Amino acid sequence: MDIAIVTGSMGLVGTESVHFLTASGLKVIGVDNNMRREFLGDDASNESNRKVLEEECPGYVHHFKDIGSGPDMERIFSEYNQDIKLVVHAAAQPSHEWANQNPVKDFTTNANGTLNILEMTRKFCINAVFIHLSTNKVYGDLVNTLPLVEHETRWELESAHPFYERGIDESMSIDHSTHSLFGASKAAADLLAQEYGRSFGLKTVCFRGGCLAGPLHSGVKLHGFLSYLMACAMKKKKYTVIGFKGKQVRDNLHSKDLVDAFYAYYKKPKPGKVYNIGGGRFSNCSLLEAINLCEEISGNKIDWSYEKENRVGDHMWWISDCSRFQKDYPKWKYRYDIKNILEEIHKGLRQRL
Ligand SMILES: NC(=O)c1ccc[n+]([C@@H]2O[C@H](COP(=O)([O-])OP(=O)(O)OC[C@H]3O[C@@H](n4cnc5c(N)ncnc54)[C@H](O)[C@@H]3O)[C@@H](O)[C@H]2O)c1
């Protein structure tokens, strides 16, 4: 039976991947030690996702192990060997702010951890497709040099700019900018995944995500902004808007749409590719617009305050141009726009809370 290894299998992207891949007939082996709880606190714990996977996904096997452990990863990869046809690498330390508290642990998880999983793939299943979860933060704050215009609820790109219609494409340099330590560890991982494709012929791909979201996210202050914002609305908890007058724009992609993209790539891999992936012009919002939508959907007012100082390396305006991916995989289509995503998050949180 074909095997898929999913790292970070208790997280938003990992859990969605496990659901999809088991339903598609693969046997899935998950690796996740719930580091998210250690990084971001009890509310960020993904334990409930693991329980659901074990109950609902036939044949799913979970390993509560660290991706950085050579011996543990070697045991798992050597057990399945050439039967491993797909590796989805979604384990990571995901937060800008947390990385500043512990840069060594951040780098060890994001860069060294990725190196370890790449090396295991090279050693035991070199023909497997390797999907690496990268991020638009690899571009650093170079993005903030784009000419923006202030609108009532959002920053918007000047309409004459080539990125206006479809968003930012992969031609943006990842050099000459402030990344934040998180952006730096993720950029190292992104380059490693590309190099393993180039140097060793692995079928690697980097998906540079915009804002990824869905009801499976355990959103907290430091990561998972849409689900945290909706939780604040539902629990009547205070929310702090940080920087850029709350007009910073994010594009938002449902984890289900993301996993559809993974599967399309898995079925017809194009080794060494790098794709921006996000909600694009189809699904995006500013923070102020997200607040309005959460209030509308939850029926509650959000009690929010404002801190002027923005986060290091944070983007004022990000919309992904996904046309490189769409050109290679024309059957891939968006199913969820920003309103649908927030409605799904609301539904999921109602069940959880
Ligand atoms: N969520 C987003 O908005 C977003 C945007 C762009 C890129 N990404 C990338 O997508 C990937 C998945 O993100 P997510 O939102 O699902 O994050 P998540 O925090 O929900 O999931 C990551 C999982 O990895 C696990 N993990 C962390 N370190 C580990 C380790 N050393 N060993 C084993 N497991 C470990 C965590 O416990 C967690 O369950 C990450 O690489 C992230 O950088 C996410």
Side-chain angles (χ1 to χ4, degrees):
M1 193 176 193
D2 289 348
I3 304 282
I5 299 224
V6 176
T7 72
S9 56
M10 292 160 70
L12 169 74
V13 174
T15 309
E16 199 74 83
S17 302
V18 177
H19 277 293
F20 183 95
L21 295 171
T22 46
S24 305
L26 281 97
K27 180 174 174 64
V28 183
I29 313 301
V31 180
D32 196 317
N33 56 358
N34 203 11
M35 275 303 281
R36 185 173 172 91
R37 182 181 184 194
E38 190 173 321
F39 295 138
L40 306 175
D42 287 350
D43 287 351
S45 171
N46 279 327
E47 189 51 35
S48 58
N49 281 345
R50 183 176 67 84
K51 287 202 186 103
V52 172
L53 292 181
E54 287 180 337
E55 278 163 27
E56 292 183 2
C57 297
Y60 175 69
V61 176
H62 191 85
H63 292 274
F64 203 86
K65 299 288 181 199
D66 196 302
I67 54 159
S69 160
D72 285 336
M73 292 309 105
E74 186 140 353
R75 259 192 299 279
I76 294 167
F77 275 76
S78 64
E79 184 178 343
Y80 301 102
N81 237 311
Q82 306 284 326
D83 289 341
I84 303 169
K85 305 296 180 206
L86 170 65
V87 177
V88 177
H89 178 45
Q93 188 299 108
S95 154
H96 278 267
E97 285 100 324
W98 196 91
N100 289 355
Q101 290 167 34
N102 195 335
V104 173
K105 184 76 185 168
D106 173 74
F107 198 86
T108 308
T109 307
N110 291 354
N112 298 23
T114 299
L115 180 60
N116 197 30
I117 300 299
L118 283 164
E119 190 52 22
M120 292 300 138
T121 306
R122 179 167 90 97
K123 200 164 159 188
F124 294 105
C125 49
I126 196 157
N127 292 318
V129 168
F130 190 104
I131 293 177
H132 173 65
L133 263 297
S134 185
T135 164
N136 59 14
K137 302 296 182 293
V138 302
Y139 297 110
D141 67 355
L142 195 61
V143 172
N144 293 349
T145 61
L146 293 171
L148 298 179
V149 183
E150 186 171 2
H151 288 233
E152 196 184 333
T153 60
R154 60 161 61 198
W155 296 104
E156 189 44 88
L157 196 56
E158 271 180 7
S159 58
H161 196 280
F163 288 156
Y164 177 79
E165 199 186 327
R166 287 201 300 248
I168 300 168
D169 68 23
E170 299 83 356
S171 65
M172 168 79 55
S173 170
I174 68 165
D175 207 353
H176 308 296
S177 65
T178 299
H179 290 81
S180 80
L181 288 159
F182 164 76
S185 65
K186 290 294 288 183
D190 182 303
L191 291 174
L192 281 166
Q194 291 186 53
E195 283 310 319
Y196 265 68
R198 293 212 170 91
S199 302
F200 302 127
L202 260 70
K203 294 177 198 146
T204 61
V205 59
C206 293
F207 281 102
R208 294 180 174 161
C211 179
L212 311 174
L216 300 169
H217 228 180
S218 307
V220 285
K221 191 173 171 197
L222 296 187
H223 188 244
F225 109 91
L226 286 181
S227 65
Y228 180 62
L229 187 60
M230 184 60 89
C232 287
M234 293 167 75
K235 294 190 206 164
K236 301 194 172 158
K237 232 167 110 176
K238 286 189 178 217
Y239 184 85
T240 310
V241 171
I242 302 176
F244 305 132
K245 302 185 185 175
K247 297 185 181 186
Q248 53 272 53
V249 170
R250 302 281 178 269
D251 66 335
N252 303 281
L253 185 70
H254 196 295
S255 46
K256 282 202 162 100
D257 285 346
L258 177 69
V259 170
D260 284 350
F262 292 173
Y263 199 66
Y265 180 87
Y266 168 60
K267 285 296 184 188
K268 218 174 129 206
K270 294 179 187 293
K273 284 278 183 168
V274 170
Y275 297 113
N276 287 350
I277 196 92
R281 278 289 181 196
F282 178 76
S283 173
N284 61 80
C285 61
S286 73
L287 189 38
L288 295 182
E289 291 161 359
I291 288 174
N292 284 339
L293 279 168
C294 287
E295 290 182 341
E296 188 187 311
I297 293 166
S298 70
N300 292 338
K301 271 266 167 252
I302 297 179
D303 179 9
W304 61 275
S305 57
Y306 180 62
E307 264 174 33
K308 202 166 170 209
E309 186 83 17
N310 64 272
R311 296 178 169 116
V312 174
D314 209 7
H315 293 160
M316 274 176 91
W317 186 89
W318 179 276
I319 288 186
S320 319
D321 177 353
C322 303
S323 53
R324 182 189 277 183
F325 182 75
Q326 284 164 317
K327 190 160 164 271
D328 286 350
Y329 299 92
K331 286 196 179 136
W332 179 76
K333 297 272 178 296
Y334 289 112
R335 288 187 284 156
Y336 298 85
D337 66 12
I338 178 64
K339 185 129 191 255
N340 305 144
I341 293 171
L342 283 167
E343 283 165 350
E344 285 254 313
I345 290 175
H346 183 251
K347 207 161 55 177
L349 281 170
R350 261 214 326 244
Q351 280 158 12
R352 274 202 208 193
L353 295 175

